[in-house]
Amino acid sequence: MSKLLVSPSPHIHSKDSTKSLMLDVVIALIPAVVCSVVFYGWQELMVLGVSVASCVLLEWAITKYMLKKPSTIGDLSAVVTGILLALNVPYTTPWWVVFVGAVVAVGVAKMTFGGLGQNIWNPALVGRVFLLVSFPTYMTTWSKPQGLFGVDAVSGPTPLGAIQEGLMQGSTVQELTSAYDYKDLLFANLGGSAGEVCALALLAGFVYLCCRKVIKPWITLSIFATVALTSLIFWGVNPARFTDPLFNLLTGGLVLGACFMATDYVTSPMSVWGGVVFGVGIGFLTVMIRYFGSYPEGVSFAILIMNSVVPLLNMWFKQKKFGRK
Amino acid sequence: MSKHTFSIGGVHPHDNKISRECALEQLPLAPTVYIGVSQHIGAPSVPCVAVGDKVKVGQVIAEPGGFVGAFIHSSVSGTVKSIAPRADLAGRATTHIEIAVEGDEWLEGIDTSDTLITTIPDDAKAIIDKIRLGGVVGLGGATFPTHVKLSPPPGSKCERVIINGCECEPYLTSDFRTLLEKGEQVVVGAALLQKAMGGVPCTIAIEENKPEAIAHIREVIAKLGYKDMEVMVMKMMYPQGGEKQLIDAVMHRQVGSGALPISVGAVVQNVATALAVYDAVQKGRPIVDNSVTVTGECFPRQANLLVRVGTPLKYIIDYLGGIPADAAKIISGGPMMGRAVANLDAATVKGTGALLFLTEKQTRRAPETHCIRCGKCADACPMGLEPFLLNKLSKNADWEACEANAAQDCIECGCCLYSCPAHIPLLDNIRVGKGFALSAIRARAAAAKAAAEAAKK
Ligand code: SF4
Ligand code: SF4
């Protein structure tokens, strides 16, 4: 020992790092990724590959050539964005559309704000919404079952409910069954984006993140609760016009959004109560957009809208300070 | 067994109590000791011996420099060699009294036997005075003179004495060993403190990771039959032993910002202090030594040593086999709140509780990255602060905003920096903001006082 290190306390650090947390998110997404690849096949794998590779490469290139700063890809956040973006688009999306989505997600929504931690909106969602608005045809190639989200198709709610129920129970056994036609239909029914197929796989990832204390469950739970409650009221009043709570919970990427997008650290409130209000807002807006909006999909917009008020929520809902009123 | 804990924040560092099986052992006397005159919070003590004087163990060698001050006693017998500035643990030059050790002769009137004296004197004032004469200061880290803490300002009343046996810092085991090996003395010390505060109830708080100590102290209390004294089992959580946190956990009362524990009726003393109180009151034995945990995974020989005050660190380390090659940092105290030692020639003080050796790998701080707004720092802060915000305000030198966001309440526990996944040196920056916020508050208080006095005239 040559020289004693002298630095202020604390002298030890927890094992957590940005990288380890992001790695946990990647791990939590694995069941959903596996599920979607199993269901959709090589096309989904290509979407995933293109998305992750573009996100990571773009971040690397931007930090290196435009910002001239040390690369940040080591924190794995670009990988997370890549996976989330891929799970948010249909498996039939052409590779160049996916790439455009990555450019918007990483290049615009993340890096122009200064990189991880500085952005206001969830990058993957910005990418997705951009694609939805710019390339509606590619983003809605599940057009056939789109009627399910619309008013017309809902006129027969009971069979729909039955389909959803069967799906929930059947989704894990489906790999075992070889009824491809049946599966395609079911996935299409669910909205067509890869990440929307496997509620159970996504929930497993969510439970993992909660157990690892990477995220707290309150945001997600309050979204679920609000969606269930709001649609219960509407559905209770007019079941012929409005879809039922379970249908709303399981479709349109709500589970993916609530578990993995709304809980993004950077774009969600810090305190528990802030998170609950955030979740209630997302849940309510989602249902409203679905019932009354012109887009079939409400979760992405709802999350992005609520992302914008996070600074306010952080200001209004603070942890009570010790020994102060 | 129900466990108690504080209400906000906290972290769970691995407790690493690798020296818990090492019984207290007496460190042989060093050839020379260096006794500092600023070993406590408050005014430095004033030396009352001269170079060339012969002193005995327990003899007063420096007197309190003010009301908030403490007697300092010689920890050895021998000759005063010099009274001169010398670098302390942090490397600052402060006055030290150098004594060459000759034999081990104790001052008359000090009872050095092991006989346990359990009768509690009736006079609270006399107890407190003996504590003062014994040079007792808080040994849990703050080294605040104990007799001052035991003299509540008029209008406030103590309702409970809490003995802090949490030892929530990782690695430290000296309080644990003291509870196990000198439990009787600690319990009598607690009873003395109870008496001194007017016969209030007493809680001895011990963290759940010390079941032997919990069982032993319960036994001792039952055996000695003291009334209104209980052991409370605390959840393993850092900083359980923080004064404000412990009061919150035990009494469910939160000490306000800038207020003292007595404002909610609490007096907290740590285990080592309770032992010192016993020694001072029952045995007439001032603080001349204290127990020091010497530990660290890289350190070859773990130990809990009884060390005379003023022993050079180097002497202790050499006794145990020298500094291991891979040690990068030596910490006086625990890894969360202890101070890095700048100089090995420095001598121990009354409050030295541990020497911890960490390797480069254990203590290295990863490079700082962007805040990812995860909120982990805020979740961890036991004072309910927002470290990420205070960090930013401090860096922007916005001292007013620091104060408005309660930077002055920070107890420097380190939970925020410990938890931050982006490795932002939160506490380093917050300390600066806290300093400015505190001085602003003090300046205002002083100005208000001056104005009030001017108005009176
Ligand atoms: S060091 Fe201060 S700001 Fe950080 S957690 Fe502790 S009390 Fe809170
Ligand atoms: S723990 Fe670190 S990264 Fe997380 S919010 Fe606090 S300062 Fe930011």
Side-chain angles (χ1 to χ4, degrees):
Chain A
M1 191 210 61
S2 50
K3 203 162 168 275
L4 286 180
L5 258 169
V6 181
S7 58
S9 63
H11 306 285
I12 50 173
H13 195 278
S14 73
K15 289 194 187 69
D16 284 348
S17 65
T18 304
K19 183 177 168 177
S20 74
L21 295 173
M22 293 298 159
L23 186 64
D24 266 337
V25 178
V26 172
I27 292 171
L29 282 166
I30 287 177
V33 166
V34 169
C35 258
S36 57
V37 171
V38 166
F39 290 150
Y40 294 117
W42 64 270
Q43 263 184 300
E44 174 63 24
L45 203 59
M46 190 209 69
V47 170
L48 273 161
V50 170
S51 180
V52 171
S54 339
C55 285
V56 172
L57 277 175
L58 279 164
E59 180 161 328
W60 175 80
I62 290 171
T63 43
K64 180 158 174 134
Y65 296 108
M66 291 171 69
L67 304 176
K68 308 221 184 306
K69 278 190 186 154
S71 170
T72 47
I73 56 170
D75 68 19
L76 299 183
S77 64
V79 177
V80 172
T81 304
I83 298 176
L84 287 176
L85 180 66
L87 293 183
N88 261 299
V89 299
Y91 71 102
T92 46
T93 317
W95 69 267
W96 59 272
V97 173
V98 177
F99 179 76
V100 170
V103 170
V104 173
V106 170
V108 178
K110 185 177 176 187
M111 300 315 284
T112 46
F113 284 89
L116 180 67
Q118 318 287 306
N119 50 305
I120 299 174
W121 293 284
N122 183 309
L125 275 183
V126 174
R128 190 232 174 138
V129 165
F130 178 83
L131 296 184
L132 193 62
V133 176
S134 320
F135 307 99
T137 35
Y138 292 123
M139 293 300 287
T140 49
T141 40
W142 62 84
S143 49
K144 202 169 116 207
Q146 200 199 333
L148 290 178
F149 297 99
V151 179
D152 294 339
V154 186
S155 51
T158 330
L160 274 183
I163 287 172
Q164 296 312 321
E165 291 243 58
L167 218 159
M168 259 307 276
Q169 288 142 13
S171 57
T172 47
V173 252
Q174 270 165 9
E175 312 145 39
L176 306 171
T177 65
S178 53
Y180 273 96
D181 293 345
Y182 176 62
K183 262 195 284 179
D184 287 346
L185 179 74
L186 282 180
F187 301 149
N189 272 347
L190 272 173
S193 291
E196 301 165 6
V197 291
C198 245
L200 280 182
L202 289 164
L203 288 173
F206 168 69
V207 170
Y208 172 81
L209 287 183
C210 290
C211 292
R212 298 272 301 160
K213 297 216 167 77
V214 174
I215 58 171
K216 279 177 269 181
W218 314 120
I219 295 178
T220 308
L221 294 182
S222 66
I223 295 177
F224 286 156
T226 312
V227 167
L229 213 71
T230 320
S231 37
L232 187 68
I233 294 170
F234 279 88
W235 176 70
V237 170
N238 187 354
R241 163 80 171 75
F242 300 109
T243 46
D244 64 273
L246 191 63
F247 179 87
N248 273 332
L249 282 176
L250 293 177
T251 54
L254 186 89
V255 177
L256 177 67
C259 295
F260 289 96
M261 321 283 271
T263 54
D264 168 29
Y265 285 146
V266 180
T267 55
S268 66
M270 298 217 196
S271 68
V272 172
W273 285 110
V276 169
V277 173
F278 180 73
V280 169
I282 292 174
F284 184 73
L285 287 174
T286 303
V287 178
M288 289 303 115
I289 296 171
R290 283 187 183 179
Y291 281 166
F292 304 110
S294 52
Y295 278 94
E297 158 60 320
V299 190
S300 305
F301 289 106
I303 294 177
L304 288 177
I305 292 170
M306 291 309 288
N307 281 167
S308 330
V309 298
V310 163
L312 279 182
L313 294 177
N314 276 339
M315 226 157 69
W316 290 339
F317 297 93
K318 293 192 176 199
Q319 156 88 51
K320 189 188 150 300
K321 292 190 175 63
F322 189 99
R324 290 179 180 241
K325 292 281 139 11
Chain B
M1 199 154 46
S2 75
K3 292 175 232 157
H4 301 255
T5 189
F6 50 96
S7 42
I8 308 175
V11 292
H12 292 100
H14 192 287
D15 75 344
N16 279 326
K17 307 265 187 197
I18 48 183
S19 52
R20 76 198 306 280
E21 300 305 329
C22 308
L24 289 170
E25 105 189 65
Q26 188 81 49
L27 178 77
L29 291 178
T32 314
V33 298
Y34 303 88
I35 303 175
V37 297
S38 332
Q39 302 194 17
H40 48 265
I41 287 183
S45 305
V46 183
C48 57
V49 287
V51 175
D53 282 5
K54 294 265 178 219
V55 293
K56 291 182 182 169
V57 185
Q59 180 179 334
V60 173
I61 53 172
E63 288 170 339
F67 173 65
V68 181
F71 282 104
I72 291 175
H73 305 78
S74 178
S75 61
V76 292
S77 58
T79 311
V80 177
K81 284 285 173 200
S82 74
I83 301 174
R86 192 167 192 281
D88 66 8
L89 288 169
R92 279 181 306 249
T94 54
T95 306
H96 281 71
I97 300 171
E98 176 186 359
I99 303 171
V101 179
E102 294 146 15
D104 193 25
E105 199 184 327
W106 288 64
L107 196 69
E108 302 73 43
I110 296 177
D111 176 357
T112 51
S113 72
D114 284 339
T115 333
L116 187 74
I117 303 174
T118 56
T119 31
I120 307 295
D122 258 337
D123 183 0
K125 278 233 164 56
I127 294 177
I128 295 176
D129 204 49
K130 281 189 177 162
I131 291 174
R132 184 177 67 89
L133 292 173
V136 181
V137 298
L139 298 176
T143 61
F144 192 78
T146 301
H147 67 275
V148 181
K149 216 173 177 183
L150 298 180
S151 318
S156 47
K157 195 177 156 344
C158 173
E159 290 166 53
R160 183 174 292 273
V161 168
I162 301 174
I163 303 297
N164 184 355
C166 293
E167 206 163 49
C168 58
E169 276 259 19
Y171 291 99
L172 310 194
T173 54
S174 60
D175 283 353
F176 168 67
R177 293 312 310 185
T178 304
L179 283 169
L180 269 191
E181 297 177 42
K182 303 191 173 185
E184 284 84 359
Q185 289 92 319
V186 172
V187 169
V188 178
L192 288 165
L193 288 166
Q194 265 180 304
K195 187 78 193 179
M197 295 323 292
V200 297
C202 170
T203 300
I204 304 179
I206 307 176
E207 265 193 7
E208 61 189 317
N209 60 352
K210 300 179 250 304
E212 308 93 315
I214 293 167
H216 180 62
I217 296 299
R218 284 203 166 128
E219 234 167 69
V220 170
I221 295 175
K223 192 173 76 192
L224 296 181
Y226 290 128
K227 278 195 221 39
D228 274 344
M229 192 186 285
E230 49 153 15
V231 172
M232 192 182 265
V233 182
M234 315 305 290
K235 214 172 137 191
M236 214 178 111
M237 174 96 102
Y238 176 86
Q240 193 69 262
E243 198 169 53
K244 290 187 171 184
Q245 278 62 38
L246 189 58
I247 295 169
D248 182 24
V250 173
M251 300 172 73
H252 307 293
R253 294 181 189 175
Q254 298 195 339
V255 180
S257 173
L260 294 172
I262 193 73
S263 66
V264 297
V267 165
V268 182
Q269 295 293 350
N270 116 311
V271 164
T273 317
L275 175 64
V277 164
Y278 168 85
D279 282 339
V281 178
Q282 306 293 70
K283 301 286 215 173
R285 180 186 191 272
I287 298 196
V288 294
D289 60 4
N290 52 323
S291 49
V292 179
T293 303
V294 188
T295 185
E297 280 90 348
C298 62
F299 198 69
R301 169 131 130 59
Q302 316 292 318
N304 292 295
L305 297 177
L306 282 168
V307 178
R308 294 286 173 94
V309 173
T311 303
L313 300 188
K314 203 163 173 321
Y315 179 80
I316 303 175
I317 297 167
D318 286 344
Y319 172 74
L320 293 172
I323 301 175
D326 49 349
K329 201 187 235 181
I330 305 180
I331 295 152
S332 162
M336 295 298 286
M337 287 188 81
R339 281 171 185 273
V341 174
N343 129 44
L344 287 177
D345 293 328
T348 63
V349 291
K350 292 175 187 176
T352 306
L355 282 180
L356 168 63
F357 293 78
L358 293 179
T359 60
E360 162 101 45
K361 191 159 166 271
Q362 286 173 309
T363 190
R364 191 188 48 217
R365 283 194 186 171
E368 175 181 356
T369 53
H370 275 313
C371 170
I372 55 169
R373 295 194 243 163
C374 63
K376 287 194 183 289
C377 53
D379 287 346
C381 179
M383 297 305 290
L385 310 180
E386 293 163 291
F388 60 91
L389 177 68
L390 294 175
N391 176 65
K392 204 167 72 191
L393 297 173
S394 282
K395 279 172 85 175
N396 293 347
D398 190 346
W399 313 129
E400 261 169 45
C402 279
E403 189 189 331
N405 286 285
Q408 62 276 19
D409 289 4
C410 170
I411 57 169
E412 305 190 21
C413 64
C415 290
C416 50
L417 207 165
Y418 174 83
S419 333
C420 177
H423 301 279
I424 299 170
L426 295 163
L427 177 53
D428 300 3
N429 296 327
I430 294 171
R431 271 197 194 99
V432 180
K434 174 186 173 181
F436 277 97
L438 275 180
S439 42
I441 293 170
R442 284 202 200 104
R444 268 205 314 277
K449 205 170 154 193
E453 250 151 49
K456 247 187 241 163
K457 276 176 200 158

